[in-house]
Amino acid sequence: MNLFRRLTYNYPELAKTLTIVLISSAIYFFLLSDIKFLAIPKLKAQDAMTRIAHFISPKPKNVDNIIVITVDDDSFKYLNKKWPWRRIMFAYLVDKISVSHPKVITFDLSFIGESDIPADDDIMSEAFAAAGNVLSASYFTNDFKYMKPYNKIAENSRGYGFINKPRDVDFYVRRSRAVLFSREDRKFDYSMMLKTFALYKNIPLESIKFSGKQVSLGNYSIPVDRNGTYPLNFTLKFSEFNIVPFWQMMKTEFPPEMFKDKIVLVGPTNEILHDVHNTPLGLMAGVGINANELLMLMNNSFISYMPKWIEFLILCVFVIAISILTYRARKPRIIFKVAGAVIIFWELGLLLYLRNIRMDYFAPAALIIASYVGISIYKYFDLIVQNISLKTQAITDELTGLYTYRYFTLRLHNEIERAKRYNVNVSLAMMDIDHFKKINDTYGHEAGNIILKEVAEILKTNTRKADIVFRYGGEELCILLTHTPKEGAVVYSEKIRQLIATNSFAGSRNIKVTVSFGVASYPLDNVFSGKEIINAADVALYHSKETGRNKVTSFSPYLMESAKAKNLI
């Protein structure tokens, strides 16, 4: 608290800047960071970090335990087959791989419905049953209908799992779905990759459980959100996996140990089969996304997100550092320092990323923009307030807080013209403090100033909002009474005269003061300009002072003739 006070006292502009950027940070972090408008730039910033981490990271563990067999363009070309291929081809593939005793063979292909050649279904079922470790794909439709493999194939497979992947707002795949509820079976079912991992770890598929916050596979716990999804940790591009084209499996012999104790994924990479998706590491076939998910499961490299309050504190330190570094710096240096701070922030983010901890990497740019906008808005409104303050000071008397003579003449002219236009009354009451010079000589100028201020306060307190009080000069004050006939102006003046006469001024000194008034009015007094109504009120005021003071005099033509005779005008 003391530090803040010292900062505010010694560096007021810096204190204001820090306050604005911290408020901007809080608004962004707690109100704006989750809106859809900012979702895409946040995701793109995270993708950039994924690509940097991929570039500098070594080859992950267990990648050699995954072999991907691809139904690719060359396989269509060399095998000279049109899609869909006969299921006997996949049966042959399983027979050929099973000799090497892989841990699990997973098809990222859906064998839905009966084949055009029923005998092929029998052959495939026999091959799957003989292998004893084959998983095939199922999927949920948009209306959540569960599309399972053909009965005969499903019964002879080790199991099947859905392959649905959720997409983000920019249609990229960055998450995987672990669990979905099957309305037909009235139970939860699990993704094909979870079941593949379970078989790889010799965990019975029946033991997979969902608790609402995590999926349990034996001794393994997989954290998921309330929708049953978890973020994918993309560590390899598809081309960096061990890939064998399908046509080579059909036409080439491989050493028996090649597939031993491995996970074999079989899936399409041909774009015609519509299983190629945008990912943080570029376009990737669904089987490549599944391979990355398996690596994450095998290496226990699940992504966690930094607690929100810690992330907010880091961002606060970031914006405070930028504010202090750029305080009173020139523009080239500001750009250099801001860029340096952003780089440091990203280096910290990268270190955390490599430890599978994620945060908002777009925040530095967002906070710089938000802070700039916040400071610009503050400066704009501060300029408006300063301009208003300067205008007020220019037209306000410093001692009494009343409007000045200059503003009085301008406003009086406008009110007279308005009265002419709309045929309404306007009156002017001119007031003078009686024997003010004597008060100054007797009690001092300080007491005189206090009396002036207190009289001005009485006028302001007892005047309508539509009326305006001015300091005409010295101890003379004027009240412009809009929409007020002469009779009303006289009544008002008499009220003020009595209030002042019965009051005591200058605090404990209890000084008694009286005032004299002169009142003139348009149109009754035939005054048609600001100068004429001032002269008329001044003549009436002079008469009040000449005839004993402490009274209100209403202007009349006789008074004007008398003043001219005495050469007062």
Side-chain angles (χ1 to χ4, degrees), residues 127-260:
F128 282 14
N133 60 355
V134 178
L135 291 174
S136 53
S138 58
Y139 64 90
F140 285 86
T141 62
N142 290 334
D143 57 355
F144 277 88
K145 185 179 180 181
Y146 199 11
M147 305 300 292
K148 304 173 187 177
Y150 180 52
N151 287 339
K152 189 177 289 186
I153 296 171
E155 290 168 0
N156 288 280
S157 301
R158 182 67 181 272
Y160 55 84
F162 64 83
I163 53 175
N164 301 72
K165 293 282 193 297
R167 287 172 175 77
D168 287 324
V169 291
D170 57 350
F171 302 103
Y172 273 57
V173 175
R174 299 183 182 87
R175 305 182 66 83
S176 183
R177 194 175 298 281
V179 58
L180 275 172
F181 185 74
S182 170
R183 290 182 295 189
E184 298 166 22
D185 299 331
R186 306 294 300 171
K187 66 177 183 179
F188 288 107
D189 200 9
Y190 302 94
S191 71
M192 186 170 66
M193 288 305 100
L194 281 186
K195 293 184 178 181
T196 300
F197 176 68
L199 292 183
Y200 177 74
K201 291 294 184 179
N202 299 315
I203 300 170
L205 300 183
E206 298 77 17
S207 67
I208 303 176
K209 302 294 181 185
F210 175 55
S211 66
K213 292 185 178 180
Q214 62 182 23
V215 176
S216 301
L217 296 85
N219 295 325
Y220 296 90
S221 294
I222 299 169
V224 296
D225 62 18
R226 61 182 180 181
N227 297 314
T229 70
Y230 52 80
L232 287 172
N233 194 351
F234 284 91
T235 52
L236 290 178
K237 294 183 176 180
F238 181 58
S239 59
E240 296 169 328
F241 285 96
N242 299 312
I243 298 172
V244 182
F246 193 96
W247 70 270
Q248 287 188 5
M249 291 299 304
M250 295 294 101
K251 297 190 173 185
T252 308
E253 293 299 324
F254 291 91
E257 67 277 4
M258 178 174 179
F259 301 102
K260 184 173 175 58

Side-chain angles (χ1 to χ4, degrees), residues 381-409:
F381 282 105
D382 186 52
L383 184 62
I384 291 174
V385 171
Q386 286 183 29
N387 286 337
I388 292 172
S389 177
L390 287 172
K391 288 178 181 178
T392 303
Q393 290 175 26
I395 63 174
T396 304
D397 177 61
E398 185 177 357
L399 175 64
T400 62
L402 302 179
Y403 290 113
T404 60
Y405 172 78
R406 181 180 179 185
Y407 182 63
F408 165 64
T409 56

Side-chain angles (χ1 to χ4, degrees), residues 85 134 144 166 258 265 328 332 379 384 440-441 457 511 538:
W85 292 348
V134 178
F144 277 88
M258 178 174 179
L265 295 178
R328 291 183 177 176
K379 286 182 176 178
I384 291 174
N440 279 333
D441 292 343
E457 191 62 35
I511 302 171
D538 196 28

Side-chain angles (χ1 to χ4, degrees), residues 24 30 40 44 54 63 87 96-97 151 162 181 202 210 215 230 240 276 283 307 339 350 392 401 445 468 476 516 540:
S24 301
F30 294 108
I40 292 179
K44 297 303 181 186
H54 166 261
V63 65
R87 290 178 179 175
K96 192 168 185 178
I97 296 171
N151 287 339
F162 64 83
F181 185 74
N202 299 315
F210 175 55
V215 176
Y230 52 80
E240 296 169 328
V276 178
L283 284 173
L350 182 60
T392 303
H445 288 280
I468 312 166
E476 285 189 83
S516 300

